[in-house]
Amino acid sequence: MIITIDGPAAAGKGTLAAFLAEKYRLAYFDTGMVYRAVGLMMVLAGLDINDEEQAAATAGQLTFVKMMELSKHPDFRSPIGSQAASVVSAHPKVRQALLRMQQDFARHPTFADGQPASGAIYDGRDTGTVVCPDADFKFFITAAPEVRARRRYEEYLQKGKEVSFEEVFADMQARDKRDAERATAPMKPAADAVIVDTSSMSAAEVAAAVCRQIEQGKQNKSE
Ligand code: DC
């Protein structure tokens, strides 16, 4: 079984994906990591993230192992890392270079300990539209921008990061705009995705709503 969860930052995709991965024993691929890894590799090497050729060459060097290593860096999920990921992800050649690596995961889903899994769950922006257009279940998880900025701000506070709410909100709006307006694989729901607005839902309510859809879908398929 392949499940895709797309949508804007801090809409609740990661929490939902982790829950579903556990419940259905699926290997989890957070596809934002590939763009974060390329952005961070460029920042650390002093390269220009706006240069598509250099970004594509950097993407061509990325491996799963390297990505996992980079994910331990303090800037991997910081505002600097988020901004760099969003900029490099708008380059069509970068997306092309990283597509195969993402699609291979659905062919050979693997848990973090290397054990094979019977299916995969993806989270990102284009996993239902481009990466896995034939997924069994597709969801588009969204929430009002202020709600998402508040969630992300609270995450930063918990991690002891010094940022203002205004800064987080402005960064999120800039990122949403770039992700939704880029020419290649813009963030949008797949035609066959179920859209869930989590603005006034708890994580448990979101999980319950999505599980109902999956169970219903499985039943329909077996009939
Ligand atoms: O989900 P995230 O915040 O970790 O994603 C970081 C950036 O990567 C985001 O601004 C857009 C980009 N991204 C993408 O373009 N396509 C994906 N499938 C996942 C992320």
Side-chain angles (χ1 to χ4, degrees):
M1 173 162 73
I2 304 291
I3 302 177
T4 61
I5 304 179
D6 291 306
K13 302 187 301 289
T15 308
L16 174 63
F19 173 84
L20 295 176
E22 176 83 25
K23 181 173 167 73
Y24 295 107
R25 302 203 40 76
L26 301 171
Y28 172 34
F29 196 158
D30 166 6
T31 62
M33 288 179 74
V34 298
Y35 300 101
R36 286 180 181 275
V38 172
L40 186 57
M41 277 162 87
M42 295 191 79
V43 169
L44 295 177
L47 299 173
D48 176 7
I49 53 175
N50 292 296
D51 183 326
E52 178 162 7
E53 297 304 326
Q54 285 194 351
T58 308
Q61 291 161 16
L62 188 69
T63 60
F64 218 90
V65 173
K66 174 105 186 134
M67 180 178 86
M68 297 315 289
E69 240 171 63
L70 284 160
S71 71
K72 295 177 197 138
H73 191 283
D75 274 327
F76 194 74
R77 294 199 181 272
S78 76
I80 294 171
S82 300
Q83 147 87 0
S86 178
V87 171
V88 299
S89 73
H91 299 312
K93 289 183 184 173
V94 169
R95 303 197 73 84
Q96 188 54 41
L98 298 170
L99 187 57
R100 180 76 184 273
M101 178 177 163
Q102 296 174 79
Q103 292 180 328
D104 279 349
F105 191 79
R107 286 189 267 274
H108 307 285
T110 318
F111 290 116
D113 65 1
Q115 290 298 311
S118 60
I121 181 151
Y122 281 74
D123 103 32
R125 304 290 186 287
D126 65 341
T127 64
T129 49
V130 177
V131 180
C132 299
D134 299 327
D136 300 285
F137 297 100
K138 299 180 185 178
F139 296 94
F140 191 85
I141 305 295
T142 188
E146 302 76 25
V147 175
R148 292 187 287 111
R150 176 69 53 193
R151 289 178 186 161
R152 188 47 50 91
Y153 173 63
E154 280 164 11
E155 267 170 40
Y156 284 144
L157 284 191
Q158 272 177 8
K159 287 183 192 158
K161 283 208 176 82
E162 286 192 21
V163 279
S164 69
F165 173 75
E166 287 68 28
E167 212 179 316
V168 175
F169 189 37
D171 173 59
M172 188 150 292
Q173 283 183 309
R175 216 143 64 90
D176 282 356
K177 189 166 155 48
R178 208 181 296 116
D179 293 346
E181 291 180 0
R182 65 175 176 237
T184 309
M187 170 178 69
K188 63 165 190 216
D192 50 350
V194 172
I195 300 175
V196 184
D197 185 330
T198 70
S199 300
S200 54
M201 291 170 89
S202 67
E205 286 170 334
V206 176
V210 165
C211 285
R212 270 199 303 276
Q213 292 281 342
I214 294 174
E215 294 308 323
Q216 183 68 53
K218 278 182 169 178
Q219 207 176 319
N220 293 347
K221 276 179 199 180
S222 68
E223 278 169 8

